[in-house]
Amino acid sequence: SYVKELVKPCGATADRSSLNSDTCLTTFVKYYGRKALRRPPTNTEIADFKSVYSAMGEGLPSLISYLLLQPRFYYRIDNEGQKIAGTEGIDATYKLNNYELLSKLTFLFWNAPPSDALYDAVEAMDLSNQRAYESLLEQVLSSDRAKDGIAQS
């Protein structure tokens, strides 16, 4: 069933009831939260997502709906990096953080969000370093997804 596929981040034998475990629910929220937000969710967001699930009594549909209702799922909002000019809000200019830069690169060249492998890779990278940035760009461009994405552009 689709639910067994959804809970695979909790383990190969996981099923819907596995989400009753705090460990599995946290793993689920971190996995899908990272996809919906295009960055790892904060501890506050993780607690918020888990509370939606718990409030609905095994509310998997509610949790998924809540994840999909996040503005960052629909929009690429690039204001989590270091502010480099202006004041807060519309006047501010921000340096892209690793996740924002990764998302821009994959949407530009793949026409798709980042893969799990790339999310994992940028966690340990300093993309202000030219070599690290070139390494990430090489990973993005050497993927078959780049050929497809560029062809669709």
Side-chain angles (χ1 to χ4, degrees):
S1 83
Y2 77 92
V3 175
K4 278 191 78 69
E5 289 299 314
L6 279 174
V7 297
K8 273 191 177 175
C10 295
T13 61
D15 60 15
R16 185 182 204 123
S17 67
S18 300
L19 289 171
N20 294 329
S21 152
D22 187 63
T23 302
C24 177
L25 183 57
T26 300
T27 299
F28 183 92
V29 164
K30 284 180 176 181
Y31 181 79
Y32 288 105
R34 181 169 81 167
K35 291 180 177 303
L37 302 173
R38 295 188 191 101
R39 59 161 172 76
T42 65
N43 290 336
T44 302
E45 289 166 332
I46 291 168
D48 189 34
F49 294 141
K50 288 168 59 175
S51 72
V52 167
Y53 178 83
S54 300
M56 298 301 177
E58 294 190 23
L60 184 58
S62 297
L63 173 57
I64 292 170
S65 295
Y66 191 61
L67 283 166
L68 298 178
L69 288 172
Q70 300 304 302
R72 291 186 185 279
F73 179 75
Y74 292 99
Y75 306 105
R76 286 186 301 228
I77 304 168
D78 301 324
N79 66 351
E80 293 187 351
Q82 176 186 2
K83 184 172 57 166
I84 56 175
T87 58
E88 295 298 326
I90 214 164
D91 180 48
T93 302
Y94 295 88
K95 178 180 177 184
L96 297 176
N97 69 25
N98 284 9
Y99 302 104
E100 293 165 341
L101 183 56
L102 172 64
S103 185
K104 286 199 173 292
L105 287 173
T106 61
F107 274 96
L108 176 64
F109 294 114
W110 292 0
N111 206 19
S115 66
D116 290 334
L118 285 178
Y119 275 127
D120 292 341
V122 299
E123 285 182 16
M125 290 180 150
D126 173 12
L127 294 178
S128 64
N129 176 294
Q130 186 67 25
R131 288 186 186 174
Y133 174 75
E134 288 172 3
S135 172
L136 175 63
L137 190 57
E138 177 62 32
Q139 290 178 61
V140 170
L141 292 174
S142 65
S143 168
D144 289 339
R145 294 173 79 180
K147 293 174 192 137
D148 295 339
I150 292 169
Q152 291 176 8
S153 295

